[in-house]
Amino acid sequence: MSTFNDRERAFESKFAHDADLRFKAEARRNRLLGEWAADLLGKTGDEARSYAMSVVSADFDEPGEEDVFRKVEADLVGHADAATIRAQMAALTTEARRQIADET
């Protein structure tokens, strides 16, 4: 029975670790997306950092990434279309995962 319990604890630990990595990668992606959008909007320095953090915060409105997309899409009217924003989100998801993996 001990082997089963050990395996169960290991599985639960891996699940929690994977969920933590996903959360970190999504937050990193959102920050990178915010930095990209800030650049398109001509924001620099503290203003750009503040904007990027507002994009990260937008992810807490509802489950999934649509809340982030809607915020950035509304802010980038006239600067980028929906397809460009979604493509950037996909590319930055890959980049964020790579960065998180390199850090661990």
Side-chain angles (χ1 to χ4, degrees), residues 66-80:
E66 286 304 305
D67 45 358
V68 172
F69 171 76
R70 281 193 305 274
K71 184 211 181 343
V72 173
E73 182 183 39
D75 293 345
L76 291 181
V77 169
H79 296 279

Side-chain angles (χ1 to χ4, degrees), residues 39-102:
D39 185 54
L40 289 179
L41 294 168
K43 298 177 185 289
T44 59
D46 288 340
E47 188 179 21
R49 279 186 286 284
S50 177
Y51 178 78
M53 294 315 298
S54 75
V55 173
V56 172
S57 297
D59 195 24
F60 300 117
D61 291 345
E62 63 187 49
E65 61 186 26
E66 286 304 305
D67 45 358
V68 172
F69 171 76
R70 281 193 305 274
K71 184 211 181 343
V72 173
E73 182 183 39
D75 293 345
L76 291 181
V77 169
H79 296 279
D81 62 8
T84 302
I85 296 166
R86 289 203 187 274
Q88 190 67 15
M89 287 177 78
L92 291 175
T93 296
T94 301
E95 174 62 17
R97 287 180 182 156
R98 185 196 60 75
Q99 288 180 9
I100 296 296
D102 287 352

Side-chain angles (χ1 to χ4, degrees), residues 14-34:
K14 181 178 178 349
F15 181 81
H17 177 71
D18 290 349
D20 184 51
L21 289 178
R22 271 192 308 278
F23 174 78
K24 287 179 180 178
E26 288 173 9
R28 176 80 52 99
R29 188 267 325 268
N30 293 340
R31 182 180 55 82
L32 294 171
L33 182 67

